Amino acid sequence: MKISARSAEWASLTLWVGLVGVVFWQTNTDFVEQGIAGGDAFHNAAFFPEMVSMIILGCAALVGIGVIVESRKSHNAARTLAVGELRRPIALLAGFGAYLYCLSLFGYHLSTAPFLFFVIWLCGERKMVGAAVFSLVTSMFVSFAFERYLNVVLPRGLFADMLFW
Amino acid sequence: MILEPLVLGLDLVASPITFLLVGAGIVFGLVVGALPGLGPLMGIVLILPAAIHLQPIGAMGLMLGIYVGGSCGGSISAILLRIPGTPLAAATLFDGYPMAQKGRGADAIGLAIASSSIGGMIGGVILIFFAPLLAAFARQFSAPEFTMLAITGLLAIAVISGESVLKGIIAGSFGLLLAMIGTDQISMNYRFTFDSHHLLNGFHLVSIVVGLFAVSEAVFQMVGKDLNERPSIKMVYVNFSAIPLALKHYRNLIRSSLIGTALGILPGTGGAASSFTAYAVAKSAARPNENYGEGEEGGVVATESANNSTVGGSLVPTLALGIPGDAIAALMMATLLIFGMYPGPTMFQQQLDVVGGIFITYFASNVALLVIGVAMTPLFVYVLRIRKSRLIPLILLLCAIGTYALQSSVFDLWAMLGFGVVGIILRLAKYPLAPIVIGVILGPLLENNLRRSLLISDNGYWIFTERPIAAALLAINVLLIGVAIWSMARSRWRKSTTNDSSESARSR
């Protein structure tokens, strides 16, 4: 199975149509309730969002027509990626999402080194000791830089009090 | 008038920390510039969450250092690996790589650094002279002029930045919509907040930028196959004899720097366009014994002086008008906004010391580029050996912690991830991302001034034609749209003739 750049075109067009839909939904409901959807251009808070949304819709329609015309002219997609090639990027995205979730749950110190190790493993590194050392050292170095020099309090998580450092 | 900002700025800059930050910026900029796939924009994106915790001039010095260093750093991998570290260095490999093949890699890198530094300083001189004049002229501007100027800035970036003008306009408009989330500055009511207190001030610019650029780039890097390989590169040592070597080509140096600065002043054109233009001009002016494309020193001098002088040029509209010259200048402008400073004519009246401080740190960064670039070349060559399997996790870590450090908010992290996904989809569909950033930054300026203009004119759009400066800017905008339509029609015509000729070749 392959995924083509055309799929991304349709996904982006769907995004624009959805976005315009949300804008008009809000301007016709929430804005009206707040009493900011009418009057002259200065007082009408819906004026500019609606104008910009119409520009997006118009341009997206033209882009969509172009995509349809292109797909009828050439049956081969310009660029394809096999699903196999997407496994690593998707795993990275999922791993990153899991890391962000773990940051608030377990805190920086317990989440970061495992995440770094996971990404290095995903990239194909199989020297586990080297990867583990790099992950630990990098995690500690970044925490030192942010907490000591920039006075940033990193996520502590639920188990921060149990950590001895 | 010229010296006043410099004298006032000396007070702000006169601290060892500022110069240390400039130096750190140059080192970091050269590193991210040398590594293919990163570049000065990514460098600034990664450092931005940390920079806003510093003093304003220190932060600007750090970011200018990254901008200047990153604009030069791409030449190192272009010369040694034939892979430009950034699009800015794409033209450098025409002559830089052949020079390295002939055993003159050290000369090529030395020339690149020296030309970048000198070109940047020429751009800086024009910045110091021209920006105050432009700011003084812009004091006549009011709401209609600022409206048209914001549209010009957006259109210019949208028209020039990507393959498709329509996609550039959509991207810029998307940025405008993002800027509307939160409190409407005129009615003071909430828009598009969906009753969430997280969105009362909209999405933080840093989460938008980090997500769109850095997260999406890290994911794209994962598609590559050789993530664990180290390129084998011979170590290179440069010395200061590169300076007289560059000065030998002084005509080329000055001409290319002026081209780069002029193109940098125009919103939308970046270092890549400057370097190719300067190379083309240098090649056409070459003497019979100069063989451009086969390791000619002048080729490296032209491209590198042009792409670095563009930095100075891009700061002119950014500081004087509050219209960013490119995406990187937009981020620097955003940093100033976060610090409560408003680039534009007002800044030249009320915060002239900050303007002077920026001028001085810009010059300092070009001097630092020369010294650090030459002395630490082996470090930057060594950096090219870093495996992507180490780089990608580091980038993601900096993204996450840097974004969290803004407001200690987990919501910002999820917003960053969401924009990362949006960035991936848009890049796959070949949308340019830079117009989104410009739209977010120019959105409030454009909307507020448009609504004020319509209030002044009692909802009449003729106000934009009645005032001469606004009318001139409107004409430029119409011209830009005309150029966009013409280039779209031309590329469609070319595509259809290419398809017709390949179909007729197949049928034979």
Side-chain angles (χ1 to χ4, degrees), chain A residues 8-9 12 16 31 34 36 41-42 45 48-49 56 59 79 88 92 97 108 112 120 124-125 153-155, chain B residues 50 167 170 173-174 180 189-191 222 224 228 387 389-390 397 401 404 414 416 426 428 431 451 459 461:
Chain A
E9 293 267 16
S12 58
W16 305 135
F31 283 38
Q34 292 187 68
I36 56 172
F42 183 76
F48 194 66
I56 290 177
C59 292
R79 194 172 38 158
R88 254 195 327 213
L92 179 72
Y108 173 87
T112 301
I120 295 171
E125 170 75 74
V153 177
L154 294 176
Chain B
K167 289 179 178 177
I170 293 173
S173 304
F174 177 49
M180 289 178 222
N189 284 90
Y190 300 128
R191 294 190 298 185
M222 289 301 271
N228 226 9
R387 285 170 277 184
S389 61
R390 300 289 191 263
L397 177 60
I401 299 311
Y404 180 81
W414 291 113
M416 175 195 65
L426 295 184
L428 283 172
Y431 281 79
R451 287 164 72 179
N459 281 346
Y461 287 88

Side-chain angles (χ1 to χ4, degrees), chain A residues 5 8-9 11-13 15-16 19-20 22-27 30-31 34 36 39-49 51-53 55-56 58-60 62-63 66 69-70 73 78-79 81 85-86 88-90 92-93 96-101 103-104 108 112 115-116 119-120 122-127 130-131 134 138-139 142 146 150-156, chain B residues 49-51 53-54 164 166-167 169-171 173-174 176-177 180 184 186-187 189-195 215 218-228 387-394 396-402 404-405 408 410 413-414 416-417 420-422 424-431 436 443 446-448 450-452 454-455 459 461 492 495-496 499 503:
Chain A
E9 293 267 16
S12 58
L13 288 170
L15 173 68
W16 305 135
L19 192 65
V20 169
V22 166
V23 168
F24 279 97
W25 166 53
Q26 284 285 289
T27 55
D30 187 50
F31 283 38
Q34 292 187 68
I36 56 172
D40 57 27
F42 183 76
H43 294 101
N44 183 359
F47 159 73
F48 194 66
M51 188 175 78
V52 172
S53 300
I55 293 171
I56 290 177
C59 292
L62 291 171
V63 169
V69 167
E70 276 297 320
K73 273 186 182 169
R79 194 172 38 158
L81 283 171
E85 284 180 84
L86 291 174
R88 254 195 327 213
I90 291 172
L92 179 72
L93 216 46
F96 192 48
Y99 170 59
L100 297 184
Y101 180 71
L103 267 180
S104 46
Y108 173 87
T112 301
F115 167 68
L116 294 177
V119 177
I120 295 171
L122 202 61
C123 292
E125 170 75 74
R126 292 296 178 257
K127 289 180 186 167
F134 176 84
T138 306
S139 161
V142 169
F146 274 83
L150 298 175
N151 292 322
V152 170
V153 177
L154 294 176
R156 291 173 54 77
Chain B
H53 293 275
L54 302 169
S164 162
L166 285 172
K167 289 179 178 177
I169 292 172
I170 293 173
S173 304
F174 177 49
L176 291 176
L177 280 182
M180 289 178 222
D184 172 30
I186 292 175
S187 67
N189 284 90
Y190 300 128
R191 294 190 298 185
F192 309 111
T193 58
F194 303 97
D195 294 330
V215 173
V219 172
F220 268 82
Q221 294 275 347
M222 289 301 271
V223 178
K225 287 186 182 152
D226 50 353
L227 299 177
N228 226 9
R387 285 170 277 184
K388 283 189 181 171
S389 61
R390 300 289 191 263
L391 211 50
I392 293 169
L394 186 58
L396 287 172
L397 177 60
L398 289 175
C399 289
I401 299 311
Y404 180 81
S408 299
V410 175
L413 291 176
W414 291 113
M416 175 195 65
L417 183 64
V421 173
V422 169
I424 291 165
I425 295 170
L426 295 184
R427 282 177 67 169
L428 283 172
K430 295 194 183 173
Y431 281 79
I436 301 176
L446 174 54
E447 182 182 8
N448 293 341
L450 174 63
R451 287 164 72 179
R452 284 199 182 97
L454 295 175
L455 176 70
N459 281 346
Y461 287 88
R492 277 199 192 285
K495 259 189 195 168
S496 65
N499 287 341
E503 274 175 26

Side-chain angles (χ1 to χ4, degrees), chain B residues 20-44:
Chain B
L20 265 170
L21 286 168
V22 167
I26 289 289
V27 172
F28 189 64
L30 282 165
V31 166
V32 293
L35 290 167
L38 293 183
L41 179 60
M42 273 287 280
I44 287 179

Side-chain angles (χ1 to χ4, degrees), chain B residues 133-146 345 467-470:
Chain B
L133 292 174
L134 190 58
F137 176 69
R139 269 179 227 141
Q140 302 170 62
F141 290 9
S142 69
E145 286 77 24
F146 280 114
R467 297 169 67 95
I469 298 172

Side-chain angles (χ1 to χ4, degrees), chain B residues 123-423:
Chain B
V125 169
I126 294 173
L127 168 67
I128 288 172
F129 276 91
F130 196 46
L133 292 174
L134 190 58
F137 176 69
R139 269 179 227 141
Q140 302 170 62
F141 290 9
S142 69
E145 286 77 24
F146 280 114
T147 305
M148 285 295 125
L149 200 57
I151 294 174
T152 308
L154 261 171
L155 268 180
I157 300 272
V159 163
I160 293 164
S161 62
E163 289 179 19
S164 162
V165 170
L166 285 172
K167 289 179 178 177
I169 292 172
I170 293 173
S173 304
F174 177 49
L176 291 176
L177 280 182
L178 287 176
M180 289 178 222
I181 299 172
T183 311
D184 172 30
Q185 290 180 13
I186 292 175
S187 67
M188 301 311 287
N189 284 90
Y190 300 128
R191 294 190 298 185
F192 309 111
T193 58
F194 303 97
D195 294 330
S196 165
H197 66 276
H198 294 296
L199 290 175
L200 294 181
N201 291 320
F203 290 111
H204 201 293
L205 176 70
V206 172
S207 8
I208 296 173
V209 165
V210 169
L212 283 175
F213 288 96
V215 173
S216 67
E217 180 60 34
V219 172
F220 268 82
Q221 294 275 347
M222 289 301 271
V223 178
K225 287 186 182 152
D226 50 353
L227 299 177
N228 226 9
E229 279 170 28
R230 266 188 219 268
S232 65
I233 303 166
K234 208 171 136 191
M235 194 44 74
V236 168
Y237 299 92
V238 177
N239 59 45
F240 289 97
S241 62
I243 302 171
L245 192 61
L247 288 173
K248 214 171 67 176
H249 304 269
Y250 67 94
R251 279 200 198 99
N252 186 358
L253 198 51
I254 292 170
R255 181 184 58 223
S256 303
S257 303
L258 291 175
I259 290 172
T261 311
L263 289 176
I265 289 173
L266 300 175
T269 49
S274 306
S275 60
F276 276 99
T277 307
Y279 185 81
V281 171
K283 193 174 175 184
S284 64
R287 291 192 211 107
N289 61 338
E290 288 175 335
N291 299 312
Y292 277 68
E294 293 176 30
E296 182 55 49
E297 291 174 359
V300 176
V301 168
T303 58
E304 287 300 312
S305 56
N307 69 28
N308 264 65
S309 60
T310 305
V311 176
S314 73
L315 288 175
V316 171
T318 307
L319 294 176
L321 302 175
I323 303 293
D326 59 19
I328 302 174
L331 287 179
M332 300 205 330
M333 186 172 149
T335 309
L336 286 169
L337 291 171
I338 292 171
F339 282 125
M341 296 170 190
Y342 298 92
T346 322
M347 197 169 172
F348 278 75
Q349 286 181 298
Q350 295 171 5
Q351 289 166 318
L352 197 57
D353 53 346
V354 173
V355 173
I358 292 171
F359 289 167
I360 295 170
T361 46
Y362 175 69
F363 264 101
S365 58
N366 282 288
V367 172
L369 171 65
L370 188 59
V371 174
I372 294 173
V374 168
M376 293 176 73
T377 300
L379 168 69
F380 306 121
V381 174
Y382 181 78
V383 151
L384 290 175
R385 295 177 185 169
I386 295 178
R387 285 170 277 184
K388 283 189 181 171
S389 61
R390 300 289 191 263
L391 211 50
I392 293 169
L394 186 58
I395 288 171
L396 287 172
L397 177 60
L398 289 175
C399 289
I401 299 311
T403 304
Y404 180 81
L406 299 167
Q407 302 177 116
S408 299
S409 161
V410 175
F411 177 78
D412 285 339
L413 291 176
W414 291 113
M416 175 195 65
L417 183 64
F419 282 109
V421 173
V422 169

